[in-house]
């Protein structure tokens, strides 16, 4: 149980384009989903927390107009990187949990390369 | 402020035992988590402690002392595939996870 999927696994895009990443909880209802970013050999960095049906809460320094998060259902959250630039190239990982005191389970991650 | 401390890197020998420590100072406590992250992959959940004591799960055990703000992850009978980063995370009073920077474990034959 507690399986989280992400799609796509890999994205290569041109600078200036927008990229959408999907995160799905496959066998449980995720009241909260989290989006992280991780640069090579660095720690996980929380970008935002989203609760189903409400606006995401962004961490300090994360541009909410650039990283659009939608959590429209209890099993799906999307992250859209708008007008991507090479410095946005990173490993984006989502996680999901059922209740506020529950374990976070991670998706497999999405590698984004912006050329 | 809130912080989680764990060693940056540890080296151990295949077949041996290694203990990875984690100390924390957080605003409240609602549990401590250990995750394993192989290079280039997402973290996977290993263990959860909310009460003092030892939780054993196969070759892996996790210990918690809330009064000391301390936990450790014990890995027995080390295998080469255990080479990974081990992340300690504490859930604070707002149910937010505070992450340690991770301990890179290198297993040598």
């Amino acid at each position: 149980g507690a399986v989280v999927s992400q799609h796509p696994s890999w994205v290569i895009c041109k600078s200036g384009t927008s990229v959408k990443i999907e995160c799905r909880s496959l066998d449980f209802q995720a009241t909260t989903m989290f989006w992280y970013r991780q640069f090579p050999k660095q720690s996980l960095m929380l970008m935002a927390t989203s609760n189903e049906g409400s606006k995401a809460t962004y961490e300090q320094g994360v541009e909410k107009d650039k990283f659009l998060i939608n959590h429209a259902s209890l099993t799906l959250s999307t992250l859209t990187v708008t007008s991507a630039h090479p410095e946005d190239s990173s490993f984006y990982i989502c996680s999901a949990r059922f209740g506020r005191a529950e374990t976070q389970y991670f998706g497999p991650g999405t590698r984004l390369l912006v050329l | 402020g809130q912080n989680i401390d764990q060693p940056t890197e540890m080296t151990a020998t295949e077949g041996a035992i290694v203990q990875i420590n984690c100390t924390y100072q957080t605003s409240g406590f609602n549990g401590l988590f250990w995750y394993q992250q192989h290079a280039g992959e997402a973290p996977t959940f290993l263990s959860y402690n909310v009460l003092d004591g030892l939780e054993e799960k196969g070759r892996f055990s996790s210990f918690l002392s809330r009064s000391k703000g301390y936990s450790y992850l014990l890995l027995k009978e080390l295998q080469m595939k255990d080479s990974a980063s081990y992340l300690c995370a504490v859930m604070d009073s707002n149910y937010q996870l505070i992450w340690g920077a991770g301990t890179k474990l290198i297993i040598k034959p």
Side-chain angles (χ1 to χ4, degrees), chain A residues 11-30:
Chain A
V11 182
I12 301 174
C13 67
K14 292 182 179 179
S15 186
T17 60
S18 293
V19 175
K20 180 187 278 190
I21 303 170
E22 291 188 349
C23 177
R24 293 181 186 272
S25 56
L26 299 184
D27 54 359
F28 67 102
Q29 293 186 323

Side-chain angles (χ1 to χ4, degrees), chain B residues 34-108:
Chain B
W34 284 96
Y35 287 82
Q36 179 190 60
Q37 186 177 24
H38 284 102
E41 298 181 10
T44 55
F45 169 71
L46 288 179
S47 67
Y48 169 66
N49 294 69
V50 67
L51 299 176
D52 289 350
L54 188 68
E55 295 279 342
E56 295 184 80
K57 196 185 290 185
R59 294 188 298 114
F60 293 7
S61 303
S62 57
F63 171 84
L64 174 68
S65 168
R66 289 172 295 171
S67 63
K68 295 181 180 178
Y70 167 71
S71 171
Y72 67 72
L73 181 69
L74 191 72
L75 292 76
K76 302 176 185 176
E77 301 169 16
L78 286 170
Q79 302 175 8
M80 296 304 292
K81 67 178 182 180
D82 298 329
S83 293
S85 287
Y86 291 86
L87 311 176
C88 173
V90 173
M91 185 175 281
D92 69 10
S93 57
N94 293 319
Y95 298 95
Q96 297 294 318
L97 270 188
I98 311 302
W99 291 90
T103 298
K104 182 179 180 181
L105 178 63
I106 300 168
I107 310 294
K108 295 186 175 180

